[in-house]
Amino acid sequence: MTTPRALLIVESEWRYYKRTWWSTVITTWLRPILFLLAMGVGLGTLIDRTADQALGGAGYLAFLAPGLMAASAMQTAITDSSWPVRTGIKWRKHFWAQISTPVTPDDILNGLMIWVFIRLVFVSTAFAVVIWAFGAAPLDRGLAAVPAAVLCGMAFASPMAFLAAWFKEDSTMIALFRFSLIPLFLFSGAFFPIDRLPDLLEPLALFSPVWHGVDLCRSITLGTPLALPLWVEVGYLLAVTVVGWWAAIRRLRKTLNL
Amino acid sequence: MVESLVVGRGLSKKFGDFTAVDNIDFDIHPGEAFGFLGPNGAGKSSTMRMIGAVSPPTSGRLSVLGMDPSTEGIKIRGRLGVVPQEDNLDRELSVYENLLTHGRYFHMKRAEIDVRIVDLLEFVQLTERLDDRVDLLSGGMKRRLIIARGLINQPELVILDEPTTGLDPQARHVVWDRLYQLKRDGVTLIITTHYMDEAEQLCDRLVVMDRGRIVAEGSPRELIERYSTRDVLEMRFAADQHRHAMPIIEEVAERTEDLPDRLMIYTHNADEVSAELARRGVHPVSTLIRRSTLEDVFLRLTGRQLIE
Amino acid sequence: MSLLLAGWLPPQSRPTRGAGRLIQRNLLVYKRIWLVIIAGFCEPVFYLLGVGVGLGEFVGEVTTEGGVSLSYAAFVAPGLLAASAMNGAIIESTFPIFFKLHYNRTYDAVLSTPMRVADIAVGEILWSQLRAAIYACGFLVLMYIVGLTDTLWAVVAILGALLVGFTFSAAGFAAVTFMRTWHDFDMIQLVILPLFLFSGTFYPLSVYPSFLQPIMQISPLYHGTELLRAFTLGSFDWTLLAHAGVLVAVGLVGLAITSRRLGRTLLK
């Protein structure tokens, strides 16, 4: 039996990643630690003076941790799916080399998504361990939240791959990143319940996959009730993933002229 | 005796333990096109950078436009045009903006630059492309734009580092054509190249560099006379047939060179040698008779081995 | 700021009008990607909205190191101003400069003209500062409109933001002269993220255990934050000179390293 071609792409991504893995270790482990330390522990000491029940009642650190887990999955997914597509088409141009072999654009995209999935599992598991070390959630609950975080990440990975293949200019993508990444991160419900947002922004947050991811993760680690039925939240994340995946494949076929 | 525009004496450039340019002497006269020939890594570009006053010599004396590059680099660069080997056009800017910013670096006035840009774009046939992003230009167009950029300050001396490498034949001829025109206008050109036809076409005088040293100097014609014969016969033989022919050939030829696929016979009269060989029973599969070119000189001086 | 400081440099590396030429070049580029500038302005606004307003309700009142009690949004705003000046300066002095240095080879073309290495160093640093100042102006106007600062002294904060911009653009440029591949940029993130999170931006240093506080004071951004917070509160005292001094010193070291190493890289 021959190896599916998409797995060959995974293998090549792995080879590329191996050379620079140390730099992602920094972002994988250090980012959650620093954020939890600064916001959860540091700012938490100020927030816990009031002990607002809207924050789940278990202290700010326990409220923040699962939210950051989903938000980190989003960030990993966005950078790991957009830049490889961009550089594959325009800078390293390795997509062009790959399609001159039996590999098709579909294989490239499928391979890349599988690769992002593997990265998300790793990053989210690392996060669960960090949360546990901080005493913000038991290890079993943290690990139970990993699938939710990964799903949340995938709902960003595929649409971002589509956008990265679609944009003509790098500067458009950079501008989009700078406009959207921080609001997505800040207004995801990870830091505070979204009902504190201005009325105008609140419904917008509902459409953001990350909010569903945060809600799912938090209900798993903290036991807070879900804002919407489980099937709606999971279904929404799955739907965004699939639509993004389909659009990305179509776009990549077009960009690579096949 | 004409005053030399560029003078190098005992000029060397070292990078750590590596000697890129090794004790070279040269004189470049006003109005001539002077070539630096050599394989990759011979030290041509390092020499160009020293003349361009962006790379201090390790030892030796260098004078450009009568000035010392290490102390008066800014003045020299103000009167120089540089066409670098690699494309370093500003990819974030348009054709017009590239020329404008470059002109501003010479502290030229905007109005003055605008007039110049119109002339230059016409000169390199890019007038239509004024507002295009540099990314959208073909290789040949980019090359012409770099040449136009190097001329923005109306330099008396232009340094061209491999001006046509990577261009198609049409684009090369357009570039050569523009360079002739510059020469006619009295601009001194310094050209590096590893294309022999380019050197024969453009250069009045040239030096051949190899491993940092100058191994020959003269006009293209002089160099051919000195280092090669008038004619060359290229013969192909059926498998190993030429081994038997070799002793006869060596008797009649000035010099021979045994290549894997053919035998090169250097002689002053190819027709005579060809007839003589036929008379003595040497029958190659094919024979090509041609004049010696600078390429023969070049390969003789720098060898056929790849230098890595 | 760097124009004033440039007098301190040895004469042969003192910038001429060449630095201005480089800024003109950058302006031409940004005419086309002005969206990026707007995004840079929005960044601290998002943080203010998210952390200051959204989270502020849970935090309540905060007491500064000077003993002033104020709303969380008013506390965090000057911190975000300093952080955005830092971010603007770092982003502008690292990615584009690395690209121009190693990929586009823009500076090789610049140096084939009468421009000098010092013109490039000072021009790029001035430009990064300029961007930081643009963000600062916008943010200050916003702070004034929504009532997070009520003193006109806040105008001085623009100078403070310029100083923070100078410090970090010089440091960023100096760091770029050591970088060889894109992956080295993760190292910048490694430095910037802790600075952002632990420089008194989001809460006073007094939250930390007392043995940690001196460590936090190493951060140049901490000094920038303190400076800007004092300006927007209109409370001036002599310690501000010390904060400014640290920022100037770090910036000058960065500038000196940049001039030295850039020359070695470009004029081989």
Coordinates of all heavy atoms in Angstrom, one line a residue, chain B residues 13 15 49 52-56 73-75 77-80 82 86-94 97 100-102 104-108 110 133 149, chain C residues 16-18 21-22 24-26 28-33 96 99-100 103-117 119 265-268:
Chain B
K13 N 41.9 42.6 -1.7 CA 40.8 42.5 -0.7 C 40.7 41.2 -0.1 O 40.7 40.2 -0.8 CB 39.5 42.8 -1.5 CG 38.3 42.8 -0.7 CD 38.1 44.0 0.2 CE 37.1 43.8 1.3 NZ 36.9 45.0 2.1
F15 N 38.8 38.7 2.9 CA 37.7 38.5 3.8 C 38.2 37.4 4.8 O 38.2 36.2 4.4 CB 36.4 38.0 3.1 CG 35.9 39.1 2.2 CD1 36.1 38.9 0.8 CD2 35.2 40.2 2.6 CE1 35.5 39.9 -0.1 CE2 34.7 41.1 1.8 CZ 34.9 41.0 0.4
R49 N 33.0 46.6 -6.1 CA 32.6 47.2 -4.9 C 33.7 48.2 -4.3 O 33.3 49.2 -3.8 CB 32.2 46.2 -3.9 CG 30.9 45.5 -4.1 CD 30.5 44.4 -3.2 NE 30.6 44.8 -1.8 CZ 29.6 45.4 -1.1 NH1 28.5 45.7 -1.7 NH2 29.8 45.8 0.1
G52 N 33.4 51.2 -6.4 CA 32.2 51.9 -6.1 C 32.2 52.6 -4.7 O 31.2 53.1 -4.2
A53 N 33.4 52.5 -4.0 CA 33.6 53.1 -2.7 C 32.6 52.6 -1.6 O 32.2 53.4 -0.8 CB 33.5 54.6 -2.8
V54 N 32.3 51.3 -1.7 CA 31.5 50.7 -0.7 C 32.2 49.6 0.0 O 31.6 48.8 0.8 CB 30.1 50.3 -1.1 CG1 29.2 51.5 -1.4 CG2 30.2 49.4 -2.3
S55 N 33.4 49.4 -0.3 CA 34.2 48.3 0.2 C 35.7 48.7 0.3 O 36.3 48.9 -0.7 CB 34.0 47.1 -0.7 OG 34.9 46.0 -0.3
P56 N 36.1 49.0 1.5 CA 37.5 49.5 1.7 C 38.6 48.4 1.3 O 38.4 47.3 1.7 CB 37.6 49.8 3.2 CG 36.5 49.1 3.8 CD 35.5 48.9 2.8
G73 N 34.7 58.8 -0.2 CA 33.7 57.9 -0.8 C 32.4 58.6 -1.2 O 31.8 58.3 -2.3
I74 N 31.9 59.6 -0.4 CA 30.7 60.2 -0.7 C 30.7 61.0 -2.0 O 29.9 61.0 -2.8 CB 30.2 61.1 0.5 CG1 29.9 60.2 1.7 CG2 29.0 61.9 0.1 CD1 29.7 60.9 3.0
K75 N 31.9 61.8 -2.1 CA 32.0 62.6 -3.4 C 32.1 61.7 -4.6 O 31.6 62.0 -5.6 CB 33.3 63.4 -3.2 CG 33.1 64.7 -2.6 CD 34.3 65.6 -2.9 CE 34.4 66.8 -1.9 NZ 35.8 67.2 -1.6
R77 N 30.9 58.6 -4.9 CA 29.6 58.0 -5.2 C 28.6 59.0 -5.9 O 27.8 58.6 -6.6 CB 29.0 57.4 -3.9 CG 29.9 56.3 -3.4 CD 29.1 55.3 -2.5 NE 28.5 56.0 -1.3 CZ 29.0 56.0 -0.1 NH1 30.1 55.3 0.2 NH2 28.4 56.6 0.9
G78 N 28.8 60.2 -5.5 CA 27.9 61.3 -6.1 C 28.1 61.4 -7.6 O 27.3 61.9 -8.3
R79 N 29.3 61.0 -8.2 CA 29.6 61.1 -9.6 C 29.6 59.8 -10.3 O 29.9 59.7 -11.5 CB 30.9 61.9 -9.8 CG 30.9 63.3 -9.3 CD 32.3 63.9 -9.2 NE 33.1 63.8 -10.4 CZ 34.4 64.2 -10.4 NH1 35.0 64.6 -9.4 NH2 35.0 64.0 -11.6
L80 N 29.2 58.8 -9.6 CA 29.3 57.4 -10.1 C 27.9 56.9 -10.4 O 26.9 57.2 -9.8 CB 29.9 56.5 -9.1 CG 30.9 55.5 -9.4 CD1 32.1 56.1 -10.1 CD2 31.4 54.8 -8.1
V82 N 26.0 53.1 -10.6 CA 26.2 51.7 -10.3 C 25.1 50.9 -10.7 O 23.9 51.1 -10.4 CB 26.4 51.5 -8.8 CG1 26.6 50.1 -8.4 CG2 27.7 52.3 -8.3
E86 N 23.0 42.0 -8.7 CA 21.7 41.5 -8.3 C 20.6 42.6 -8.4 O 20.9 43.7 -8.3 CB 21.7 40.9 -6.9 CG 22.1 42.0 -5.9 CD 22.7 41.4 -4.6 OE1 22.5 40.2 -4.4 OE2 23.3 42.2 -3.9
D87 N 19.4 42.1 -8.6 CA 18.3 43.1 -8.6 C 18.0 43.6 -7.2 O 17.5 42.9 -6.4 CB 17.1 42.3 -9.2 CG 15.8 43.0 -8.8 OD1 15.8 44.2 -8.6 OD2 14.7 42.3 -8.8
N88 N 18.4 44.8 -7.0 CA 18.0 45.4 -5.7 C 17.1 46.6 -5.9 O 17.2 47.6 -5.1 CB 19.3 45.7 -4.8 CG 20.2 46.7 -5.5 OD1 19.8 47.4 -6.5 ND2 21.4 46.9 -4.9
L89 N 16.3 46.5 -6.9 CA 15.2 47.6 -7.0 C 14.3 47.5 -5.8 O 14.2 46.5 -5.1 CB 14.4 47.3 -8.2 CG 15.1 47.5 -9.6 CD1 14.2 46.9 -10.7 CD2 15.3 49.0 -9.8
D90 N 13.7 48.6 -5.4 CA 12.9 48.7 -4.3 C 11.5 48.1 -4.6 O 10.7 48.7 -5.3 CB 12.7 50.1 -3.8 CG 12.3 50.2 -2.3 OD1 11.5 49.3 -1.9 OD2 12.8 51.1 -1.6
R91 N 11.3 46.8 -4.2 CA 10.1 46.1 -4.6 C 8.8 46.7 -4.1 O 7.7 46.4 -4.5 CB 10.2 44.7 -4.2 CG 10.9 43.8 -5.2 CD 10.8 42.4 -4.8 NE 12.0 42.0 -4.1 CZ 12.2 40.8 -3.5 NH1 11.2 39.9 -3.6 NH2 13.3 40.4 -3.0
E92 N 9.0 47.5 -3.1 CA 7.8 48.1 -2.5 C 7.3 49.4 -3.2 O 6.3 50.0 -2.9 CB 8.0 48.5 -1.0 CG 8.3 47.2 -0.2 CD 8.7 47.5 1.3 OE1 9.8 47.8 1.5 OE2 7.8 47.5 2.1
L93 N 8.1 49.8 -4.2 CA 7.8 51.1 -4.9 C 7.6 50.9 -6.4 O 7.9 49.8 -6.9 CB 9.0 52.1 -4.7 CG 9.4 52.5 -3.3 CD1 10.6 53.4 -3.3 CD2 8.3 53.2 -2.6
S94 N 7.0 51.9 -7.0 CA 6.7 51.8 -8.4 C 8.0 52.2 -9.2 O 9.0 52.6 -8.6 CB 5.6 52.7 -8.8 OG 6.0 54.1 -8.7
E97 N 8.7 55.8 -8.6 CA 9.1 56.0 -7.3 C 10.6 55.5 -7.0 O 11.3 56.1 -6.3 CB 8.2 55.4 -6.3 CG 6.8 56.1 -6.2 CD 5.8 55.3 -5.4 OE1 5.9 54.1 -5.3 OE2 4.8 55.9 -5.0
L100 N 12.7 58.2 -8.5 CA 12.6 59.4 -7.7 C 13.4 59.3 -6.4 O 14.3 60.1 -6.1 CB 11.1 59.7 -7.3 CG 10.9 60.9 -6.4 CD1 11.3 62.2 -7.1 CD2 9.4 60.9 -5.9
T101 N 13.2 58.2 -5.6 CA 13.9 58.0 -4.4 C 15.4 58.0 -4.6 O 16.2 58.6 -3.9 CB 13.5 56.8 -3.6 OG1 13.3 55.7 -4.5 CG2 12.3 57.0 -2.7
H102 N 15.8 57.3 -5.7 CA 17.2 57.1 -5.9 C 17.8 58.5 -6.2 O 18.9 58.9 -5.8 CB 17.5 56.2 -7.1 CG 18.8 55.5 -7.0 ND1 19.1 54.6 -6.0 CD2 20.0 55.7 -7.7 CE1 20.4 54.2 -6.2 NE2 20.9 54.8 -7.2
R104 N 16.7 61.3 -5.2 CA 16.8 62.1 -3.9 C 18.0 61.7 -3.1 O 18.5 62.6 -2.4 CB 15.5 61.9 -3.1 CG 14.2 62.3 -3.8 CD 14.2 63.8 -3.9 NE 13.8 64.5 -2.6 CZ 14.0 65.8 -2.4 NH1 14.5 66.6 -3.3 NH2 13.6 66.3 -1.2
Y105 N 18.4 60.5 -3.2 CA 19.6 60.1 -2.4 C 20.9 60.9 -2.9 O 21.8 61.0 -2.2 CB 19.9 58.6 -2.6 CG 18.8 57.7 -1.9 CD1 18.6 56.5 -2.4 CD2 18.1 58.2 -0.8 CE1 17.6 55.6 -1.8 CE2 17.2 57.3 -0.2 CZ 16.9 56.1 -0.7 OH 16.0 55.3 -0.1
F106 N 20.8 61.4 -4.2 CA 21.9 62.2 -4.7 C 21.6 63.7 -4.3 O 22.3 64.6 -4.8 CB 22.0 62.0 -6.2 CG 22.6 60.7 -6.6 CD1 21.8 59.7 -6.9 CD2 24.0 60.6 -6.6 CE1 22.4 58.4 -7.3 CE2 24.6 59.3 -7.0 CZ 23.7 58.3 -7.3
H107 N 20.6 63.9 -3.6 CA 20.2 65.3 -3.2 C 19.8 66.1 -4.4 O 20.1 67.3 -4.5 CB 21.3 66.0 -2.4 CG 21.7 65.2 -1.2 ND1 20.8 64.9 -0.2 CD2 22.9 64.7 -0.8 CE1 21.4 64.1 0.7 NE2 22.7 64.0 0.4
M108 N 19.3 65.5 -5.5 CA 18.8 66.2 -6.6 C 17.5 66.8 -6.3 O 16.7 66.3 -5.5 CB 18.7 65.3 -7.9 CG 20.0 64.7 -8.4 SD 19.8 63.3 -9.5 CE 19.0 64.1 -10.9
R110 N 13.6 67.7 -6.9 CA 12.4 66.9 -7.5 C 12.2 67.2 -8.9 O 12.0 66.3 -9.8 CB 11.2 67.2 -6.7 CG 10.7 66.0 -5.9 CD 9.4 66.2 -5.3 NE 8.4 65.3 -5.9 CZ 7.8 64.3 -5.2 NH1 8.0 64.3 -3.9 NH2 7.0 63.5 -5.8
R133 N 4.1 48.7 -10.6 CA 5.0 48.1 -9.5 C 6.1 47.4 -10.1 O 6.0 46.7 -11.1 CB 4.1 47.1 -8.6 CG 3.2 47.8 -7.7 CD 3.9 48.3 -6.4 NE 4.3 47.1 -5.6 CZ 3.6 46.4 -4.8 NH1 2.3 46.7 -4.7 NH2 4.0 45.5 -4.1
R149 N 18.2 53.6 -13.4 CA 18.5 54.1 -12.0 C 19.9 54.5 -11.8 O 20.2 55.6 -11.2 CB 18.1 53.0 -11.0 CG 18.1 53.5 -9.6 CD 17.8 52.4 -8.6 NE 18.9 51.4 -8.6 CZ 18.9 50.3 -7.8 NH1 17.9 50.1 -7.0 NH2 20.0 49.5 -7.9
Chain C
T16 N 23.2 63.5 7.9 CA 23.0 64.7 7.2 C 21.5 64.7 6.8 O 20.7 63.9 7.3 CB 23.8 64.7 5.9 OG1 23.6 63.5 5.2 CG2 25.3 64.9 6.3
R17 N 21.2 65.5 5.8 CA 19.8 65.5 5.3 C 19.5 64.1 4.7 O 18.3 63.9 4.4 CB 19.6 66.6 4.3 CG 20.7 66.6 3.2 CD 20.9 68.0 2.6 NE 22.1 67.9 1.8 CZ 22.3 68.4 0.6 NH1 21.3 69.0 0.0 NH2 23.4 68.3 0.0
G18 N 20.5 63.3 4.6 CA 20.2 61.9 4.0 C 19.2 61.2 4.8 O 18.4 60.4 4.2
R21 N 15.9 61.8 3.5 CA 15.6 61.2 2.2 C 15.1 59.8 2.4 O 14.2 59.3 1.7 CB 16.9 61.1 1.4 CG 17.6 62.4 1.1 CD 16.9 63.1 0.0 NE 17.6 64.3 -0.4 CZ 17.2 65.5 0.0 NH1 16.1 65.6 0.8 NH2 17.9 66.6 -0.3
L22 N 15.6 59.1 3.4 CA 15.1 57.7 3.7 C 13.7 57.8 4.2 O 12.9 56.9 3.9 CB 16.1 57.1 4.7 CG 16.1 55.6 4.6 CD1 17.0 55.2 3.4 CD2 16.7 54.9 5.8
Q24 N 11.5 59.9 3.4 CA 10.6 60.2 2.3 C 10.4 58.9 1.5 O 9.3 58.7 1.0 CB 11.3 61.2 1.3 CG 11.3 62.6 1.9 CD 12.1 63.5 1.0 OE1 13.0 63.1 0.2 NE2 11.9 64.8 1.2
R25 N 11.4 58.1 1.4 CA 11.2 56.8 0.8 C 10.1 55.9 1.5 O 9.2 55.4 0.9 CB 12.5 56.0 0.8 CG 12.5 54.6 0.1 CD 12.5 53.6 1.2 NE 12.1 52.3 0.6 CZ 11.5 51.3 1.2 NH1 11.1 51.5 2.5 NH2 11.3 50.2 0.7
N26 N 10.2 55.9 2.8 CA 9.3 55.1 3.6 C 7.9 55.7 3.5 O 6.9 55.0 3.5 CB 9.7 55.1 5.1 CG 10.9 54.2 5.3 OD1 11.2 53.4 4.4 ND2 11.6 54.4 6.4
L28 N 6.6 57.1 0.9 CA 6.1 56.6 -0.4 C 5.5 55.2 -0.3 O 4.4 54.9 -0.8 CB 7.2 56.6 -1.5 CG 7.6 57.9 -2.1 CD1 8.8 57.7 -3.1 CD2 6.4 58.5 -2.8
V29 N 6.2 54.4 0.5 CA 5.7 53.0 0.7 C 4.4 53.0 1.5 O 3.4 52.4 1.1 CB 6.7 52.1 1.4 CG1 6.1 50.8 1.7 CG2 8.0 52.0 0.6
Y30 N 4.3 53.8 2.5 CA 3.2 53.8 3.4 C 1.9 54.5 2.8 O 0.8 54.3 3.2 CB 3.5 54.4 4.8 CG 4.1 53.2 5.6 CD1 5.4 53.0 5.5 CD2 3.2 52.4 6.3 CE1 6.0 51.9 6.2 CE2 3.7 51.3 6.9 CZ 5.1 51.1 6.9 OH 5.6 50.0 7.6
K31 N 2.2 55.3 1.8 CA 1.0 55.9 1.0 C 0.2 54.7 0.5 O -1.0 54.8 0.5 CB 1.6 56.6 -0.2 CG 1.1 58.0 -0.3 CD 1.8 58.8 -1.4 CE 2.1 57.9 -2.6 NZ 2.9 58.7 -3.6
R32 N 0.8 53.6 0.2 CA 0.1 52.5 -0.4 C -0.4 51.5 0.7 O -1.4 50.9 0.4 CB 1.1 51.7 -1.3 CG 0.5 50.8 -2.3 CD 1.5 50.4 -3.4 NE 1.9 51.5 -4.2 CZ 3.1 51.8 -4.5 NH1 4.1 51.2 -3.9 NH2 3.4 52.8 -5.3
I33 N 0.2 51.4 1.8 CA -0.3 50.5 2.8 C -0.7 51.2 4.1 O -0.4 50.8 5.2 CB 0.7 49.3 3.1 CG1 2.1 49.9 3.4 CG2 0.8 48.4 1.9 CD1 3.0 48.8 3.8
P96 N 10.6 45.1 8.5 CA 10.9 45.7 7.3 C 12.4 46.0 7.1 O 12.9 45.9 6.0 CB 10.2 47.1 7.4 CG 9.3 47.0 8.5 CD 9.8 45.9 9.4
F99 N 14.1 42.7 6.0 CA 13.8 42.5 4.6 C 14.6 43.4 3.7 O 15.2 42.9 2.8 CB 12.3 42.8 4.4 CG 11.8 42.7 3.0 CD1 11.6 41.5 2.5 CD2 11.6 43.8 2.3 CE1 11.1 41.3 1.2 CE2 11.1 43.7 1.0 CZ 10.9 42.5 0.4
K100 N 14.8 44.6 4.1 CA 15.5 45.5 3.2 C 17.0 45.2 3.3 O 17.8 45.4 2.3 CB 15.3 47.0 3.7 CG 13.9 47.5 3.2 CD 13.8 49.0 3.6 CE 12.9 49.1 4.8 NZ 12.7 50.6 5.1
Y103 N 17.0 40.7 2.0 CA 16.3 40.2 0.9 C 16.2 41.2 -0.3 O 16.6 40.8 -1.4 CB 14.9 39.8 1.3 CG 14.9 38.4 2.0 CD1 15.3 38.4 3.4 CD2 14.7 37.3 1.3 CE1 15.4 37.2 4.0 CE2 14.8 36.0 2.0 CZ 15.1 36.0 3.3 OH 15.2 34.8 3.9
N104 N 15.7 42.3 0.0 CA 15.6 43.3 -1.1 C 16.9 44.0 -1.4 O 17.1 44.5 -2.5 CB 14.6 44.3 -0.7 CG 13.8 44.9 -1.9 OD1 14.3 44.7 -3.1 ND2 12.8 45.6 -1.7
R105 N 17.9 43.9 -0.5 CA 19.2 44.6 -0.6 C 19.0 46.1 -0.9 O 19.8 46.7 -1.6 CB 20.0 43.9 -1.7 CG 20.2 42.5 -1.4 CD 21.7 42.1 -1.5 NE 22.0 40.9 -0.8 CZ 22.9 40.9 0.2 NH1 23.5 42.0 0.6 NH2 23.1 39.8 0.8
T106 N 17.9 46.7 -0.3 CA 17.7 48.1 -0.6 C 18.8 49.0 -0.2 O 19.2 49.9 -0.8 CB 16.4 48.5 0.2 OG1 15.4 47.5 0.0 CG2 15.9 49.8 -0.3
Y107 N 19.4 48.6 1.0 CA 20.5 49.5 1.5 C 21.7 49.5 0.6 O 22.5 50.5 0.6 CB 20.8 49.1 2.9 CG 19.7 49.3 3.9 CD1 19.4 48.3 4.8 CD2 18.8 50.4 3.8 CE1 18.3 48.5 5.7 CE2 17.7 50.5 4.6 CZ 17.5 49.6 5.6 OH 16.4 49.7 6.4
D108 N 22.0 48.4 -0.1 CA 23.1 48.4 -1.0 C 22.9 49.4 -2.1 O 23.8 50.1 -2.5 CB 23.3 47.0 -1.7 CG 23.8 46.0 -0.7 OD1 24.4 46.4 0.3 OD2 23.6 44.8 -0.9
A109 N 21.7 49.5 -2.6 CA 21.4 50.5 -3.6 C 21.5 51.9 -3.0 O 22.0 52.8 -3.6 CB 19.9 50.3 -4.1
V110 N 21.0 52.1 -1.8 CA 21.1 53.4 -1.1 C 22.6 53.8 -1.0 O 23.0 54.9 -1.2 CB 20.5 53.4 0.3 CG1 20.7 54.7 1.0 CG2 19.0 53.1 0.2
L111 N 23.4 52.8 -0.6 CA 24.8 53.2 -0.4 C 25.6 53.4 -1.7 O 26.8 53.7 -1.6 CB 25.5 52.1 0.5 CG 25.1 52.2 2.0 CD1 25.8 51.1 2.8 CD2 25.4 53.6 2.6
S112 N 25.0 53.1 -2.8 CA 25.8 53.4 -4.1 C 25.6 54.8 -4.4 O 26.0 55.3 -5.5 CB 25.3 52.5 -5.2 OG 24.0 52.8 -5.6
T113 N 25.0 55.6 -3.6 CA 24.8 57.0 -3.8 C 25.5 57.8 -2.6 O 26.2 57.1 -1.8 CB 23.3 57.4 -3.6 OG1 22.9 57.3 -2.3 CG2 22.4 56.4 -4.5
P114 N 25.5 59.1 -2.6 CA 26.2 59.8 -1.5 C 25.6 59.5 -0.1 O 26.1 60.1 0.8 CB 26.1 61.2 -1.9 CG 25.9 61.2 -3.4 CD 25.0 60.0 -3.6
M115 N 24.6 58.7 0.0 CA 24.1 58.4 1.3 C 25.1 57.6 2.2 O 25.9 56.9 1.6 CB 22.8 57.6 1.2 CG 21.7 58.3 0.5 SD 20.7 59.4 1.6 CE 19.8 58.1 2.5
R116 N 25.0 57.7 3.5 CA 25.9 57.0 4.4 C 25.2 56.1 5.3 O 24.0 56.2 5.5 CB 26.7 58.1 5.2 CG 27.6 58.9 4.3 CD 28.3 60.0 5.2 NE 27.3 60.8 5.9 CZ 27.7 61.8 6.7 NH1 28.9 62.0 6.9 NH2 26.8 62.5 7.3
V117 N 26.0 55.2 5.9 CA 25.4 54.3 6.9 C 24.6 55.0 8.0 O 23.5 54.6 8.3 CB 26.5 53.3 7.4 CG1 25.9 52.4 8.5 CG2 27.1 52.5 6.4
D119 N 23.1 57.8 7.8 CA 21.8 58.3 7.3 C 20.8 57.2 7.4 O 19.6 57.4 7.7 CB 22.0 58.7 5.8 CG 22.9 59.9 5.7 OD1 23.0 60.7 6.6 OD2 23.6 59.9 4.6
T265 N 28.2 45.3 8.3 CA 27.5 44.4 7.4 C 27.4 44.9 6.0 O 27.6 44.2 5.0 CB 26.0 44.3 7.9 OG1 26.1 44.0 9.3 CG2 25.3 43.2 7.3
L266 N 27.2 46.2 5.8 CA 27.0 46.8 4.5 C 28.3 47.2 3.7 O 28.3 47.1 2.5 CB 26.1 48.0 4.6 CG 24.6 47.7 5.0 CD1 23.9 49.0 5.3 CD2 23.9 47.0 3.9
L267 N 29.3 47.6 4.5 CA 30.5 48.0 3.8 C 31.6 47.0 4.0 O 32.7 47.3 4.6 CB 30.9 49.4 4.4 CG 29.9 50.5 4.2 CD1 30.5 51.8 4.8 CD2 29.7 50.8 2.7
K268 N 31.3 45.8 3.6 CA 32.3 44.7 3.7 C 33.5 45.0 2.8 O 33.3 45.4 1.7 CB 31.7 43.4 3.4 CG 31.0 42.8 4.6 CD 30.7 41.3 4.4 CE 29.8 41.1 3.2 NZ 28.6 40.4 3.5

